[in-house]
Amino acid sequence: MRKQIKLSLNAGITFGIITIFLFLVGFTSTVADILAELFHNKAATSLLGLTPQMLNMLIFLGLVGLWAGAFGSRKEKSRSDDPWGVAVLDSLITGLVHGLLVCGLVLLVGTLDLRGVRMNVYLAQVLPAAVKLFLLGKAPLAGGLFYIVFMLATGFLGGLFSRGIGRGSWRRRSAAAWKNTWESFNRLSFVTQVRGNPITRYVIYGLLLLLVFLVPLGAGQYWNYTIGTVGIYVLLGLGLNIVVGLAGLLDLGYVAFFAIGAYTMALLTAPAPHHLLWSFWIVLPVGVVLAAITGLLLGTPVLRMRGDYLAIVTLGFGEIIRILSKSDDLTAFTGGPKGVTAVGGPTLFGKPFNSAIDYVYLIFLAVLLVIFVTNRLQNSRVGRAWEAMREDETVSRAMGINTLTQKLLAFAIGAAFAGLGGAIFASRNQFTGPDDFSLMVSINVVAVVIVGGMGNIPGVIAGALVLKGLPEVLRQLQDYRVLVFGALLVAMMLWRPAGIIPSSRRKMESNKDTGVTETPKEGREG
Amino acid sequence: MPSAKAPARRVSTYKIVQTVLGILFAGYLLWRLYVVFIGNPAYGSDTWARFIISGVILGSVYALIAIGYTLVYGILRMINFAHGDIMMIGAFGGYFVFEALKAIPAPTLTDPKFTFSDAHPIIAVLLAFIVGSSIAALSGFFLEKIAYRPLRGAPRLVPLISAIGASIFLENAGQLLFGTQRRDYANPLILTRGDGWNLPIGGATVILPYTGVLTLVVSILLMVGLYLLVMRTRLGRSMRAVAENKQVAALMGIDVDGIISRTFIISGALAGAAGVMWGIHLGLVYYYVGFLPGIKAFTAAVLGGIGSVPGAMLGGLFLGLVESLGPAILGISFQLKDVIAFAILVLVLIFRPTGIVGEVLTEEKV
């Protein structure tokens, strides 16, 4: 009993802190605006003295409160009996604590606001409008009391819901029914025939390809630009996938190779600073090869290290490349902080590429090529060697794999893909500069690989779509994108370290309970 | 037997390349030293004194942060990537203390604009350090609890990625909470930045800033305190035992999780103190302030030999000095001083991965 109460107290405090944090980073106001756009109720008349914006925010906070209640009243694992009273009490405690914390925030913020303190000097998102919205236009005390009641009520409801849904028998029953239907559907002779047939797969792939090639025709300039960006991230993700996902080497300076591809394209095709004006189609392979060679050069000294050292050293390399390209000393060679403008574009059969849609198709072709190469590599002797190395380096060496050569190969191929991506990127933007190559690009690519599923091609594509595509759809959430990135990385590691779409080999390896892959025994650590 | 010889010869070629590169680099360094000091001296001794002063002060801050990396690495064998951001949190803690104390007026007859922090600078500075350190320590504690503890025993890449995620999260939470602008640390009047003792060196006066001396003194005190804590107390002994072998330590009745928590609290507190120093001495805090010092302090920790506390202190001081003297000695622009830190990191890892005073690492640990 006492343990249950402690659990719900903890839940209340956690959700209280979450709500306060959401307010402090301005998320409550943003979400109110998003919901207003969703419901089209911006101009609706006010209800109970509340403006539609306030109602929208309350809808969101109500959902948080429901979740808190459901979370707080979850059943303790060791309990066998499960009385109603406990669940209700738990949800009430959670709601009360949640409400009290929010009430404290409201009282503090409200009094400060009344006294005319401009809080947004210190806390950038606590604008007077946001405070007014959060207080629902009421006095601090009334607002605080309202939130206590509101959180209590939503917490209670959440507890009831979780009691009904999470512990009810209907969930098991409906799951069983669904499973039965699915199994009997699978047993149909027609279904098994179609499934077993390799042609089905080709048809599905063909349809997907057709869809992918048709989408840009219907999309406008802006969306094609976005699709192109996603495509370039797929390229980068597939490249890094070889390094991180297959060979298990964490490279945090991946942007360096991207930068080399982009700068090769820019410096060799642009009129300034060198006026070489080479053709795109010649520079493209040059950029790829240069990036690969740089990968080899960087790899030779650092690949003797393991894991975390490698991560920091590659991060250092990435920053060195960026700082060098930015420095005034090399302006004559790299264009300096201002970058290189008027980067040349490709011409095919006399048609110059000048709109986003042309580049989308170019990027599609590059992605297809890279997918093909990755796929063949992955299922080859080399790919198996990489995966063996990732799982246990010592054992793979004992199996006769030359780990250093394999690592270098992985590094160079990954770098080559990044070079390809960089060259196309520079050409498409017609510009390249040091700011395109911040550490954030490396981190983004790592996130794409990890969120999607390490060592898995569809996973990387899904990761790029989720991380680079979704934020474009939800433009208001732009400010929170990177924040969510960070939280997502941690959350993925905690609950799904194998990614959204885990690769089949990883799935086989991973532990059923936690999803954490089995650890190779590590020296003294044990 | 050729099959036995082949791998041996490959190692030796690597050694040869290593030695040749090392000699080339050392030769270049000697030549530059000759040019700068004897052949064509560009700076007078006063300038060198200035470089050394700023290098030592910066180095002492790096050393404090580096200790945090080293403590955590020694125990968990993981790089606490978010350590620099913990420092940022500490810096903001101190910033808000100074802002709050600045808002309390304490007018005197001579100066009606006198504020509490001007009237009681010792209390103000102490309070800033205490608040900054405690907030940072608290965040270190929660960081470990949320992002690292559930991953004990996972493959090494997993906690590292979690750490990167935590670092991104903290940085952007900082950006959203405090905005992107750089904020001026409101030092007490007596600690105004740029003020200091004037030392006559080489015919010119060199300023030894008060803030720098404060930074140096506080960091030396903290380092001595930490050394005593690790070497003399029960907690320190438990920490060393856990670093040596977790399982045996647990068998000896040590609460391993508790010790790891406390390690994060200690390293967070040191990083917080470093953040407050950064603010007092260099003046500007912003959400990104922890990133570069964090990476550099990691370099310092590696340089001194990661896992060793005295090594981190030495490495920090050495890095601070190299960073301020390096551009002048190598004859490159000061814009590139960050490149020097990264280049040192790479060089150390290539030539002497165990650092200056590092323990001999087996390959399994590296």
Side-chain angles (χ1 to χ4, degrees), chain A residues 388-416:
Chain A
M389 209 164 63
R390 180 191 70 205
E391 291 309 320
D392 195 320
E393 204 177 321
T394 319
V395 172
S396 65
R397 202 179 296 157
M399 292 290 116
I401 295 168
N402 184 343
T403 49
L404 194 65
T405 323
Q406 296 297 345
K407 279 181 181 177
L408 276 179
L409 194 62
F411 225 62
I413 293 175

Side-chain angles (χ1 to χ4, degrees), chain B residues 117-167:
Chain B
S117 68
D118 299 330
H120 307 278
I122 298 176
I123 296 177
V125 169
L126 259 183
L127 208 60
F129 272 110
I130 290 170
V131 170
S133 295
S134 332
I135 292 179
L138 207 66
S139 0
F141 171 73
F142 280 111
L143 174 74
E144 192 267 340
K145 205 167 161 136
I146 294 168
Y148 303 153
R149 181 170 299 178
L151 300 175
R152 254 330 112 85
R156 289 178 82 160
L157 215 53
V158 171
L160 182 63
I161 292 165
S162 173
I164 293 171
S167 163

Side-chain angles (χ1 to χ4, degrees), chain B residues 165-233:
Chain B
S167 163
I168 299 174
F169 180 85
L170 288 179
E171 238 161 55
N172 285 279
Q175 182 188 359
L176 286 169
L177 286 176
F178 309 125
T180 48
Q181 75 267 42
R182 294 170 178 232
R183 291 155 188 282
D184 240 332
Y185 239 63
N187 286 3
L189 207 56
I190 204 168
L191 282 175
T192 308
R193 272 181 296 283
D195 282 8
W197 293 285
N198 294 319
L199 309 176
I201 294 175
T205 50
V206 175
I207 295 174
L208 180 62
Y210 299 134
T211 55
V213 173
L214 176 80
T215 302
L216 199 61
V217 168
V218 172
S219 67
I220 288 173
L221 282 179
L222 285 175
M223 280 191 256
V224 170
L226 179 90
Y227 193 76
L228 290 179
L229 177 87
V230 172
M231 300 314 280
R232 294 285 165 81
T233 62

